[in-house]
Amino acid sequence: GGRGRGRGRGDANRSAKILNSRIRESSSAREILGVVRERHAEFDAINVSTTSHRIAVSVARGETISNDKDTIESLRLLMKVAERKAKQMDAQAVSNILWALAKLAESGVDVDAKAVRAVSAETTRVAGELRPQEVSMIMWALAKLAESGMDVDATAVRTVSAETTRVAGEMEPQHVSNVLFALAKLAEKGVDVDVTAVRAVSAETTRVAGEMEPQHVSNVLFALAKLAEKGVDVDVTAVRAVS
């Protein structure tokens, strides 16, 4: 019986890989949502991650998500699968999906709070594997979800904030900008922010300041001003580095 089970798993993996290729080859959110409608029952955690991320990237590039019945139903199905597969997600899938849900919420899509909660809860399990980009994506996502009126998971905020001290030294300008911006937005929403995380990321501004784009600089200046306003002791050297 063991061999049969192994073969079944192998077939499922092969099928998921083929499905992932089809999702990647889809040229629009509309086309990807068609795949969700037809094949959602076969999705594994990676399929959910690729689908969510590709839809959100299309939206970020200016594609409008229509409000018709099929689209709303496909998004609902995708979020239900995300909720169901959360425990199988790796660090990249968790960060991709939270980022995607935040992007969709930002564009006015009604995001399923249960899916957000289920995926956020997995940050504790994957925290040690998070790379700088994933820390940056999750922090940005939690801040944007809070901004859209959703109750974010305080444990997820604490867990991922704590990882910033581990990865801060490898952060690129965009990561530094995103994380500081996220911490400021969360503080603005009344979420307790990790002062050690603020300090660790602020300390990196001197290293990356020369490579920062104007948007990064304005995000960092906004963040440091907002954090100071909220009573956080901000790094004056960081302010000088980007000013």
Side-chain angles (χ1 to χ4, degrees):
R3 273 203 304 276
R5 272 202 304 278
R7 191 162 58 245
R9 238 191 336 272
D11 290 346
N13 286 344
R14 235 187 332 276
S15 165
K17 278 182 180 159
I18 293 164
L19 189 49
N20 225 39
S21 298
R22 185 172 166 200
I23 296 158
R24 285 182 188 284
E25 283 158 16
S26 301
S27 58
S28 66
R30 188 177 183 79
E31 200 179 328
I32 297 165
L33 287 166
V35 179
V36 173
R37 256 195 311 286
E38 291 167 32
R39 309 283 296 273
H40 64 93
E42 302 163 52
F43 274 24
D44 69 359
I46 292 168
N47 298 148
V48 178
S49 170
T50 307
T51 303
S52 309
H53 192 259
R54 292 299 294 260
I55 291 169
V57 166
S58 293
V59 168
R61 286 181 182 150
E63 187 181 344
T64 311
I65 295 274
S66 62
N67 219 3
D68 61 86
K69 191 163 62 68
D70 280 352
T71 300
I72 291 165
E73 179 60 9
S74 299
L75 285 166
R76 189 189 69 76
L77 288 168
L78 178 61
M79 290 180 210
K80 286 289 166 214
V81 181
E83 185 189 343
R84 214 167 51 241
K85 298 288 179 185
K87 291 192 185 322
Q88 296 161 25
M89 289 171 188
D90 63 8
Q92 187 179 6
V94 168
S95 67
N96 271 352
I97 292 165
L98 286 175
W99 180 84
L101 291 171
K103 272 281 175 202
L104 291 171
E106 189 183 35
S107 74
V109 171
D110 194 10
V111 166
D112 185 341
K114 282 186 184 167
V116 172
R117 272 199 299 275
V119 182
S120 298
E122 298 307 313
T123 53
T124 312
R125 178 176 55 81
V126 301
E129 302 156 39
L130 292 171
R131 294 170 298 187
Q133 183 177 4
E134 291 155 357
V135 167
S136 159
M137 285 168 79
I138 294 174
M139 291 302 293
W140 183 89
L142 293 171
K144 282 289 173 185
L145 290 163
E147 204 176 20
S148 74
M150 202 168 278
D151 280 337
V152 296
D153 182 337
T155 309
V157 173
R158 274 197 302 277
T159 303
V160 183
S161 296
E163 294 304 315
T164 58
T165 52
R166 174 177 62 81
V167 300
E170 302 159 54
M171 282 184 174
E172 292 172 12
Q174 186 175 6
H175 306 151
V176 170
S177 159
N178 277 358
V179 172
L180 286 174
F181 180 80
L183 288 164
K185 282 287 176 189
L186 288 164
E188 196 175 31
K189 285 285 167 190
V191 179
D192 277 340
V193 300
D194 182 338
V195 180
T196 317
V198 174
R199 273 202 290 271
V201 182
S202 299
E204 299 305 318
T205 51
T206 315
R207 174 177 61 81
V208 299
E211 303 158 54
M212 279 190 165
E213 291 171 15
Q215 185 62 52
H216 301 151
V217 172
S218 69
N219 279 355
V220 170
L221 288 172
F222 160 82
L224 295 172
K226 184 56 69 180
L227 288 161
E229 194 184 295
K230 290 286 168 188
V232 177
D233 192 13
V234 302
D235 185 341
V236 182
T237 320
V239 178
R240 275 203 295 269
V242 292
S243 297

